């Protein structure tokens, strides 16, 4: 009796199908991990900016003399965010004891995630007793045109 060895075409197709399903699942997990990493990176960079701006302006009563161009060189950070947009620091025109961090260049989903995040040190979060995230923004534009603003200070 003659006995064949090896695999049939059906067995090979089954293995390839299983590998395809595993690959699709891995791609989804990698995408989620990258999105989470970018959000974490933005959070860390904003906290670092806020801390450094407060340290630099600790001797003043307000932030009215804050110059965005020099702040980034002094704190040793680039003004580019992980989403390809910019960080913009400005003084709140209604209250010079507050400054605003603006994050632009966001897609709608990124904008919504940053707007709903709890920015616990922000003015909006503190004034709402922790009920609101503390950020405002425009998240209705086409991708790459959205922005989030967070106000810090007293």
């Amino acid at each position: 009796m003659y006995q064949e060895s090896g695999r049939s075409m059906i067995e090979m197709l089954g293995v390839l199908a299983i590998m395809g399903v595993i690959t699709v699942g891995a791609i989804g997990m990698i995408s989620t991990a990258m999105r989470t990493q970018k959000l974490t990176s933005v959070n860390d960079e904003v906290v670092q900016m806020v801390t450094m701006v407060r340290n630099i302006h600790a001797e003043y009563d307000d932030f009215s003399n804050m110059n965005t161009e020099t702040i980034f060189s002094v704190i040793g950070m680039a003004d580019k965010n992980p989403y390809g947009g910019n960080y913009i620091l400005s003084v709140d025109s209604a209250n010079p004891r507050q400054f605003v961090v603006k994050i632009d260049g966001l897609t709608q989903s990124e904008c919504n995630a940053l707007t709903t995040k709890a920015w616990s040190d922000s003015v909006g979060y503190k004034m709402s007793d922790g009920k609101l995230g503390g950020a405002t923004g425009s998240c209705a534009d086409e991708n790459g045109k959205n922005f989030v603003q967070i106000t810090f200070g007293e």
Side-chain angles (χ1 to χ4, degrees):
M1 181 175 263
Y2 178 71
Q3 194 171 12
E4 289 187 38
S5 64
R7 303 283 176 229
S8 71
M9 182 63 89
I10 294 175
E11 289 173 324
M12 292 300 290
L13 288 174
V15 169
L16 288 175
I18 291 169
M19 288 175 58
V21 169
I22 291 170
T23 302
V24 168
I27 290 172
M29 289 174 40
I30 290 170
S31 175
T32 301
M34 288 176 58
R35 186 173 48 251
T36 302
Q37 188 274 334
K38 283 184 179 181
L39 286 171
T40 301
S41 180
V42 167
N43 181 62
D44 293 346
E45 289 174 357
V46 168
V47 168
Q48 182 181 359
M49 276 186 276
V50 170
T51 301
M52 295 304 291
V53 167
R54 287 180 172 158
N55 287 342
I56 292 168
H57 291 279
E59 61 199 51
Y60 305 108
D61 288 336
D62 60 32
F63 299 99
S64 60
N65 62 347
M66 185 170 73
N67 182 336
T68 301
E69 289 76 29
T70 58
I71 286 289
F72 284 105
S73 63
V74 169
I75 64 177
M77 285 181 65
D79 65 345
K80 300 289 182 204
N81 66 50
Y83 298 110
N86 295 308
Y87 293 117
I88 301 164
L89 297 171
S90 61
V91 179
D92 186 349
S93 58
N95 184 352
R97 296 178 65 90
Q98 297 178 349
F99 65 97
V100 179
V101 176
K102 181 177 178 181
I103 308 164
D104 67 9
L106 304 171
T107 65
Q108 290 176 334
S109 63
E110 295 159 351
C111 182
N112 288 326
L114 291 170
T115 303
T116 57
K117 180 191 177 322
W119 297 94
S120 59
D121 201 22
S122 70
V123 172
Y125 183 85
K126 290 177 183 177
M127 291 183 73
S128 71
D129 292 326
K131 294 181 179 123
L132 301 175
T136 60
S138 170
C139 300
D141 293 333
E142 61 187 64
N143 288 340
K145 306 267 185 192
N146 300 295
F147 67 90
V148 172
Q149 295 185 125
I150 313 151
T151 303
F152 295 94
E154 299 176 9

